[in-house]
Amino acid sequence: MVGLKVLRQRYTADREAVTEFRREAELGRTLRHQNIVPIFDVAEDHGTHYIAMEFVEGGNLRDFIQIRKKLSPRDAVKCVLDIAEGLEYALTKGATHRDLKMTNVLMSSTGVAKLADFGLASISSDGRETESAARALEYAALEKNTGAPRDDPRSDLYFLGTIFYELLTGTPPLARTRRSEEHTS
């Protein structure tokens, strides 16, 4: 059984969107770690672009916390360690996640946290971070407001800390928003 991530039909005519979608898959194919959801293939069939990846039976951390409300300190630490190990491995390959949040971490039915959606990740063929890829709104605001270098791996650690906080308290430390102007002031 595999999971499929499908590029929405409204983006299939956008060459840049297709390129970024394929770039995510190609990056994901290079990352093989027990705490990163592996990507097996990227393809297109009759105009539908998709990524085939491991099917993780379970759910994302946001759904998990909505059900459980919060985790014990021991369970939260185990989850955060899983995420940190996946991030560390990706960094050894020259990649920063750049969109670390509760919905981009899957919790398997066996209790293993796995990073997903490296769609905003940044890497180049020689292992150096690239300047061209986009970054999540939260990352852009953090970099702008702190002067941190673009795609600094410490940003992933900062957002790992926000996940840890939410796992322990059941409440996000930062208000959720979808509007960029709310993040850049």
Side-chain angles (χ1 to χ4, degrees):
M1 187 177 310
V2 298
L4 292 180
K5 180 176 181 176
V6 178
L7 182 63
R8 291 183 181 174
Q9 194 65 35
R10 67 179 178 224
Y11 297 119
T12 58
D14 180 346
R15 186 179 303 272
E16 189 174 318
V18 171
T19 299
E20 287 300 310
F21 187 77
R22 294 188 71 79
R23 187 188 65 77
E24 171 189 350
E26 293 306 323
L27 171 60
R29 289 173 78 164
T30 68
L31 301 176
R32 296 289 183 208
H33 188 272
Q34 66 269 15
N35 300 112
I36 298 174
V37 177
I39 292 179
F40 305 127
D41 196 15
V42 57
E44 179 264 333
D45 184 37
H46 295 82
T48 300
H49 298 268
Y50 65 90
I51 299 171
M53 63 188 80
E54 175 186 44
F55 175 77
V56 178
E57 187 173 348
N60 70 52
L61 280 183
R62 181 179 291 164
D63 295 341
F64 192 71
I65 288 300
Q66 284 179 342
I67 294 167
R68 300 234 348 232
K69 304 303 179 208
K70 62 182 179 178
L71 299 182
S72 70
R74 169 173 276 164
D75 289 343
V77 166
K78 192 228 182 273
C79 181
V80 168
L81 284 174
D82 284 352
I83 297 167
E85 288 177 8
L87 289 172
E88 179 183 40
Y89 170 80
L91 189 58
T92 67
K93 300 299 182 188
T96 52
H97 192 282
R98 303 175 71 221
D99 194 20
L100 189 59
K101 56 190 175 187
M102 298 283 281
T103 55
N104 284 342
V105 179
L106 303 181
M107 182 60 75
S108 76
S109 60
T110 59
V112 176
K114 295 182 172 241
L115 293 167
D117 199 358
F118 274 79
L120 297 179
S122 177
I123 193 169
S124 66
S125 60
D126 61 1
R128 288 182 297 115
E129 294 174 358
T130 63
E131 292 295 320
S132 62
R135 61 193 189 277
L137 294 174
E138 294 84 0
Y139 278 68
L142 179 67
E143 292 165 0
K144 177 182 176 186
N145 292 323
T146 65
R150 181 178 170 88
D151 305 330
D152 190 319
R154 294 175 296 178
S155 296
D156 281 343
L157 291 179
Y158 175 85
F159 286 102
L160 179 57
T162 66
I163 288 172
F164 192 33
Y165 179 92
E166 188 166 352
L167 292 176
L168 290 169
T169 66
T171 306
L174 306 169
R176 287 183 174 75
T177 182
R178 294 178 178 256
R179 296 175 45 198
S180 61
E181 59 271 12
E182 292 178 23
H183 286 284
T184 59
S185 55

